Amino acid sequence: MRLHVGRRSWLIHHSMAALEEGLNPELFVRLHRSAIVRRDFITGFTRNASGRWIARLADGEEQPVGRLYADRVRSMAGR
């Protein structure tokens, strides 16, 4: 797995599940099987034409939200 912090990144030999277990759920949220994001880095959510959630990030990037994680996004978005 690759950990991105600012402009730097590191290759880490852990599973996403192990990383997620070690992170504070009040600070981090899993959005996809391949993405865990700091909550305060998320600026909002939209839905694409097919109805899937997309997270807008503070750096201007967009992160698709996996179907398994959509309930978390709905609660964060207040729906």
Side-chain angles (χ1 to χ4, degrees), residues 42-53:
I42 300 170
T43 60
F45 296 98
T46 58
R47 296 184 84 160
N48 66 13
S50 65
R52 291 256 173 109
W53 288 94

Side-chain angles (χ1 to χ4, degrees), residues 16-53:
M16 290 291 287
L19 176 63
E20 185 178 20
E21 283 180 22
L23 294 173
N24 182 340
E26 293 179 15
L27 300 176
F28 293 88
V29 63
R30 188 153 184 185
L31 297 177
H32 193 272
R33 67 185 180 107
S34 63
I36 298 172
V37 178
R38 206 174 68 228
R39 287 178 181 262
D40 65 353
F41 196 65
I42 300 170
T43 60
F45 296 98
T46 58
R47 296 184 84 160
N48 66 13
S50 65
R52 291 256 173 109
W53 288 94

Side-chain angles (χ1 to χ4, degrees), residues 51-71:
R52 291 256 173 109
W53 288 94
I54 305 291
R56 288 187 315 270
L57 306 179
D59 64 358
E61 294 292 319
E62 293 184 339
Q63 172 62 51
V65 177
R67 282 179 273 145
L68 295 175
Y69 309 99
D71 287 342

